Amino acid sequence: MKQRFGLAMATAVALAPMAAHAQSRPDQQAFFSLYKQLVETNTTLSAGDCTKAAAQIATRMKAAGYAAGDVTLFTPPGHPKEGGLVAVLRGSDAALKPMLLLAHLDVVEARRADWVRDPFTLVTEGGYYYGRGTFDDKAQAAIWSDTMIRFRREGYRPRRTIKLALTCGEETNEAFNGADYLVRERRALIDAEFVLNEGGGGRYTPDGKREVLALQVGEKASQNFSFTVTNPGGHSSQPVPDNAIYQLADALKAVQGYDFPVRFTDTTRQFFTAMALSKGGETGAAIKTLLTDPTDRTADAIVSRDKALRSTLRTTCVATMASAGHAGNALPQRAQATVNCRIFPGETVEGTLAKLSELAGPKVRVEATPPIRPLAVPPPLDPKIVGPARALAAKHFPGVPMLPIMSTGATDGIFFQSIGIPVYGVPGLFVDPDGNGTHGLNERIRIESLYAGRDYLFDLVKAYAG
């Protein structure tokens, strides 16, 4: 998954106090039941079952009154545990194209031995819910599902048809991807004017105040590349300079030392313009220089001291896995590494591959690891999307500024953007400065964040649906 709202926005100031939330209202109690069941259903690639999770939600939707024809469970051939769900709440105005609510059911691997608590038991502790997926992305999946259920139970008839797609495979580049499958094979099911997805959110200050909201307008494309060196090897008692491990290490060091060029989209230009004003000082001045001259290396070095800002400026590539050798007393015959790149919108996999091959040198074979991700296409800063999000944020989170951002990570939204459907990462769910353990150990979400975000997103969907 993308890094959830990982941008350094610590300069924005929020005055709104945190409200205490509990499952006191009947609708909150029903939501908690759905959310708990979803978190406690293991949906990892290695041992989980997205198909089971989707079926559980389908059962709840049908119990709320959805007809069988409006709830589609899909399980592609050869992937019995990687299924998903599409549900439809039909609108009254056929002239309006539908909107799509998107979330993924799968989660990052979690080993019980590494966690303080069982990652697949929802634990309430210290004002947080703990468990794998409590934030990424089962909070969003549960909120969208619950919203659709509430609409049906309340008899709400939107003007615009609302669709919900829950898919599997977002967290693993090489896994079967349900969103990609729907776009390629079942387009009529998910065709929409726009998509609301994960990737936006909000951020708390270290002392727990709401600091800033983010509307994601654009993201990078995640693509893995393999680096491979082969060699005849030999006896370790007679080493030679032609060593596969050393050659691979030199190639990876070359990647480490290279900065891709600075780029801007309309969204990041607006974001950095705001950051220049809020940062001030040397960093603010450097940002202003980069906005005028993206090739200024001195300004780039100053801004790039902040890892999040550096990643927002450019394509990034980093070594994430490596293996080499076949015996402790033999020269290596093979050395391999995985380099994960987050490719800036508008730049291509082919162009990134060419640069990596140049950096690695002729003795290292560099290849894009299938599947090849589509080109990242940023959506427009559409007032019809930005306006309601900002207006409702002022009501639900008074005093908290909202900025458009480009995610430094990547989501399944890229598949929809590739066929011309704009995707926006919604605000609403706030994270702590440390990222809440997303993709790491002891993932958590503030209880207050979950319920306040749920209320905001319920109203936001209604605003877009008419």
Side-chain angles (χ1 to χ4, degrees):
M1 179 253 183
K2 68 284 112 218
Q3 181 176 344
R4 182 76 80 132
F5 191 48
L7 299 178
M9 299 184 178
T11 53
V13 178
L15 301 177
M18 290 173 59
H21 278 262
Q23 307 91 50
S24 55
R25 306 189 322 239
D27 65 284
Q28 290 175 331
Q29 294 168 12
F31 166 74
F32 178 74
S33 173
L34 185 158
Y35 176 67
K36 183 176 187 294
Q37 182 184 47
L38 188 55
V39 170
E40 294 186 345
T41 302
N42 186 333
T43 53
T44 59
L45 180 63
S46 65
D49 193 337
C50 288
T51 303
K52 177 181 177 181
Q56 291 168 345
I57 292 173
T59 297
R60 290 175 179 270
M61 299 193 77
K62 290 174 183 177
Y66 280 89
D70 289 332
V71 180
T72 301
L73 289 165
F74 63 93
T75 307
H79 301 276
K81 294 186 177 182
E82 296 165 80
L85 173 149
V86 176
V88 180
L89 180 63
R90 303 190 185 279
S92 60
D93 189 345
L96 288 176
K97 284 197 71 174
M99 60 186 286
L100 176 68
L101 311 179
L102 177 66
H104 63 88
L105 296 169
D106 60 309
V107 294
V108 171
E109 301 291 336
R111 294 176 63 240
R112 176 65 186 95
D114 297 336
W115 282 55
V116 173
R117 307 158 194 84
D118 181 351
F120 299 106
T121 298
L122 186 67
V123 175
T124 304
E125 185 179 312
Y128 289 89
Y129 291 138
Y130 283 86
R132 176 56 90 216
T134 48
F135 196 96
D136 183 17
D137 186 33
K138 289 181 175 178
Q140 193 79 71
I143 287 171
W144 287 155
S145 302
D146 170 75
T147 295
M148 295 286 280
I149 289 170
R150 289 171 70 190
F151 285 162
R152 175 60 73 185
R153 284 183 171 154
E154 293 173 6
Y156 170 62
R157 180 82 185 277
R159 285 189 62 211
R160 184 192 300 275
T161 292
I162 306 171
K163 298 181 178 181
L164 166 69
L166 303 177
T167 63
C168 199
E170 196 270 355
E171 294 292 10
T172 309
N173 278 9
E174 291 77 34
F176 169 83
N177 188 286
D180 182 33
Y181 166 79
L182 289 173
V183 166
R184 288 186 294 103
E185 306 293 338
R186 309 288 297 273
R187 170 136 184 200
L189 266 181
I190 49 81
D191 205 20
E193 184 174 339
F194 59 89
V195 176
L196 302 183
N197 188 27
E198 62 170 336
R203 180 170 168 139
Y204 291 113
T205 61
D207 60 351
K209 292 185 174 64
R210 295 193 189 111
E211 183 177 44
V212 67
L213 279 161
L215 174 67
Q216 180 189 303
V217 186
E219 61 183 79
K220 292 183 174 182
S222 176
Q223 182 65 50
N224 286 342
F225 296 85
S226 64
F227 282 46
T228 305
V229 185
T230 56
N231 192 288
H235 203 288
S236 63
S237 66
Q238 298 180 6
V240 294
D242 187 24
N243 183 297
I245 291 176
Y246 296 155
Q247 290 162 352
L248 178 63
D250 288 343
L252 297 179
K253 289 297 291 184
V255 173
Q256 181 188 24
Y258 178 73
D259 280 334
F260 282 79
V262 171
R263 299 277 190 262
F264 290 102
T265 66
D266 290 344
T267 296
T268 62
R269 186 170 291 278
Q270 190 173 125
F271 167 73
F272 275 106
T273 299
M275 289 299 292
L277 294 173
S278 62
K279 285 279 188 184
E282 181 184 43
T283 301
I287 291 173
K288 290 178 181 178
T289 298
L290 278 184
L291 287 166
T292 302
D293 180 10
T295 65
D296 191 301
R297 296 179 65 86
T298 301
D300 183 10
I302 294 170
V303 178
S304 292
R305 292 170 188 164
D306 184 310
K307 66 178 183 179
L309 296 183
R310 175 181 177 273
S311 296
T312 308
L313 286 170
R314 53 170 51 84
T315 291
T316 60
C317 293
V318 60
T320 54
M321 295 193 297
S323 62
H326 62 286
N329 59 354
L331 300 178
Q333 297 171 0
R334 178 180 293 269
Q336 292 181 297
T338 296
V339 171
N340 177 255
C341 294
R342 305 301 174 120
I343 302 174
F344 198 87
E347 296 185 357
T348 65
V349 171
E350 294 77 15
T352 306
L353 173 61
K355 174 53 69 175
L356 293 176
S357 298
E358 176 190 327
L359 293 169
K363 293 187 177 182
V364 182
R365 186 173 76 252
V366 182
E367 298 174 302
T369 305
I372 307 303
R373 292 291 179 120
L375 183 75
V377 181
L381 278 164
D382 189 341
K384 296 197 298 288
I385 299 296
V386 178
R390 182 165 280 136
L392 283 170
K395 171 187 172 184
H396 284 265
F397 311 111
V400 182
M402 191 183 84
L403 296 177
I405 66 164
M406 179 198 72
S407 171
T408 58
T411 75
D412 281 341
I414 195 167
F415 299 110
F416 295 85
Q417 289 162 184
S418 71
I419 60 171
I421 303 177
V423 181
Y424 299 90
V426 289
L429 294 173
F430 285 75
V431 298
D432 296 333
D434 68 357
N436 287 37
T438 301
H439 284 210
L441 296 177
N442 307 312
E443 184 178 350
R444 69 192 191 280
I445 187 172
R446 289 186 188 233
I447 295 173
E448 184 274 340
S449 171
L450 182 65
Y451 289 96
R454 171 179 175 265
D455 287 344
Y456 169 77
L457 290 170
F458 181 82
D459 287 350
L460 186 65
V461 173
K462 262 194 173 181
Y464 291 138

